[in-house]
Amino acid sequence: MRMWCRFTLTGPRGDNPLGFLATLGVMVTLKDEGIESKLSWKGLTPILRVDMPDMAEKSHEGRERELVRIIHSRLKRAKKRGTDVAEDSSLNDLKKKNLTFSNKEFLDFAEMSFDECRFPERRLLDLISSFGIMGPKKEGKMAPTPWALLSGSGHQEFLKTVNDLMLCCEEDDYHRALFGPWEGDREKYSLRLEPAEDRRYALMDGDPSDSKRRVKTLWGANRLAFEALRLFPTYSADSAEKREGSLGAVGWDDELRSVRWPLWRYPIGVEVVKSILCLPAIWKEGDLTERGRLVEMGIFSVIQSRKVAEGKYKNMTFGIPLWFDY
């Protein structure tokens, strides 16, 4: 008999792109560890159920600490003699700091990862599928995922930041990401997914380049969000509306520079989550028939966030419910 332990994640919110991704990151990390979980939403608060009989006898605080310990143990990377030592499949073979590979470099790494993939461990292969696609020109560069808001400008590097997070995150960082307080407490190593880190002048009371106004971030949430990218694979979006070889990514509309995701009321596992993120009806908010089908599936809202830029900085905006039927 299964013993589901219920966690109310009081840190992340469903209308925050970083919070939503961090919540999904918990699910994929637990799956990597062979632990089944199910997720639902009570309003904007994630409710996580974890199949762990050993937790049943623990106190509420003890269960929280054990969940955080498992996540940290799975995601940590040790530093030994000055060398990064990955404890699971890693990105050590990626020598660049950003998703700026030539088509050949990207293809070679993807093929190597495919050859080394052994079921059920396919983390690296799934991550690569979320990184982007080969560009249309044979001698050109890859087209990166729209989730990669760092591209080298202003010393902001996507892959280097992820690597630093792998080295720096501790249990307290994951506990804060899951159970709060949801307030940035760390400098550097941000993937720019937190809307509160938006550095546009109109949203700040002074010069955002001033060191005294440095925006702080949540390391644990950023680290978990990176793992969740596996649920947002990229693909070549050849169609009558788009040019040949253009990038498509699950959940995204490139022309609108926007991403959408659903919130649902019934507990579902990570594979079902992956499926509903792809539903075309998410982009048909004006069609009441399509919306009704989503409601029948248990989806009670669709959230939209936009990608914005101010100079060298890119960010995600706070999510806006396009409709709500809770």
Side-chain angles (χ1 to χ4, degrees):
M1 180 179 178
R2 289 187 170 180
M3 183 67 68
W4 295 95
C5 293
R6 186 179 186 272
F7 297 90
T8 299
L9 305 185
T10 50
R13 284 170 53 107
D15 59 351
N16 183 317
L18 179 61
F20 183 74
L21 286 179
T23 303
L24 300 190
V26 175
M27 298 187 77
V28 296
T29 300
L30 291 174
K31 182 182 178 184
D32 290 342
E33 196 67 14
I35 299 172
E36 186 175 353
S37 64
K38 293 187 177 184
L39 177 67
S40 61
W41 299 85
K42 186 176 182 180
L44 297 174
T45 301
I47 308 298
L48 184 71
R49 293 165 175 81
V50 182
D51 182 18
M52 289 199 65
D54 295 342
M55 283 189 182
E57 302 302 320
K58 295 181 181 291
S59 66
H60 177 74
E61 293 77 11
R63 288 197 291 270
E64 286 187 2
R65 287 195 299 270
E66 180 65 10
L67 177 65
V68 169
R69 185 198 67 76
I70 291 168
I71 292 169
H72 176 247
S73 176
R74 181 69 191 185
L75 295 181
K76 74 180 180 180
R77 177 186 287 182
K79 243 187 178 179
K80 187 176 182 181
R81 299 192 185 94
T83 302
D84 300 343
V85 180
E87 297 191 355
D88 62 353
S89 298
S90 73
L91 308 177
N92 280 345
D93 293 319
L94 292 173
K95 305 301 181 185
K96 296 202 176 198
K97 297 180 180 180
N98 289 291
L99 297 178
T100 55
F101 300 94
S102 69
N103 283 338
K104 184 179 184 310
E105 290 172 329
F106 189 59
L107 179 61
D108 288 347
F109 189 72
E111 288 179 341
M112 181 199 73
S113 302
F114 179 80
D115 291 340
E116 295 180 356
C117 178
R118 297 292 182 272
F119 183 82
E121 176 53 72
R122 48 172 295 145
R123 170 180 174 270
L124 185 56
L125 189 62
D126 287 340
L127 279 172
I128 291 171
S129 74
S130 75
F131 282 173
I133 63 171
M134 294 173 60
K137 296 182 180 179
K138 184 177 180 180
E139 303 302 325
K141 291 185 177 181
M142 67 175 290
T145 172
W147 286 116
L149 304 183
L150 313 181
S151 57
S153 177
H155 305 290
Q156 303 173 95
E157 284 98 12
F158 180 74
L159 292 175
K160 183 180 184 303
T161 295
V162 171
N163 182 70
D164 290 333
L165 287 168
M166 289 179 176
L167 293 169
C168 295
C169 281
E170 300 293 344
E171 289 190 19
D172 286 346
D173 295 303
Y174 295 116
H175 193 281
R176 191 182 187 93
L178 298 185
F179 302 106
W182 188 271
E183 298 173 357
D185 63 333
R186 302 285 199 172
E187 291 188 0
K188 304 190 297 183
Y189 310 149
S190 167
L191 297 178
R192 313 294 308 175
L193 299 168
E194 166 58 65
E197 296 173 27
D198 194 341
R199 298 175 64 95
R200 285 178 289 171
Y201 277 89
L203 303 179
M204 301 188 74
D205 61 355
D207 184 354
S209 63
D210 186 343
S211 61
K212 293 181 180 178
R213 292 184 173 85
R214 242 171 231 166
V215 179
K216 293 187 177 181
T217 193
L218 287 155
W219 281 359
N222 282 272
R223 178 69 183 90
L224 287 165
F226 173 73
E227 294 297 322
L229 295 187
R230 288 181 265 169
L231 303 181
F232 297 86
T234 56
Y235 54 90
S236 180
D238 295 344
S239 69
E241 294 79 23
K242 295 189 175 185
R243 67 183 184 277
E244 182 181 357
S246 61
L247 174 82
V250 166
W252 280 86
D253 185 300
D254 189 52
E255 292 182 3
L256 296 178
R257 297 174 64 83
S258 298
V259 62
R260 293 183 182 181
W261 63 87
L263 300 179
W264 55 93
R265 57 171 52 90
Y266 305 123
I268 56 176
V270 66
E271 295 301 331
V272 181
V273 172
K274 188 173 183 178
S275 296
I276 67 172
L277 291 173
C278 304
L279 291 173
I282 290 173
W283 290 92
K284 300 177 181 178
E285 71 275 12
D287 188 326
L288 296 183
T289 299
E290 293 292 340
R291 185 188 301 187
R293 288 172 181 164
L294 293 178
V295 172
E296 288 175 356
M297 295 179 191
I299 293 171
F300 62 85
S301 185
V302 170
I303 310 294
Q304 176 171 297
S305 173
R306 293 186 303 109
K307 181 163 60 174
V308 294
E310 174 70 26
K312 60 189 177 184
Y313 296 103
K314 295 178 182 177
N315 254 95
M316 302 302 299
T317 64
F318 283 103
I320 298 175
L322 299 178
W323 56 270
F324 203 87
D325 184 22
Y326 190 68

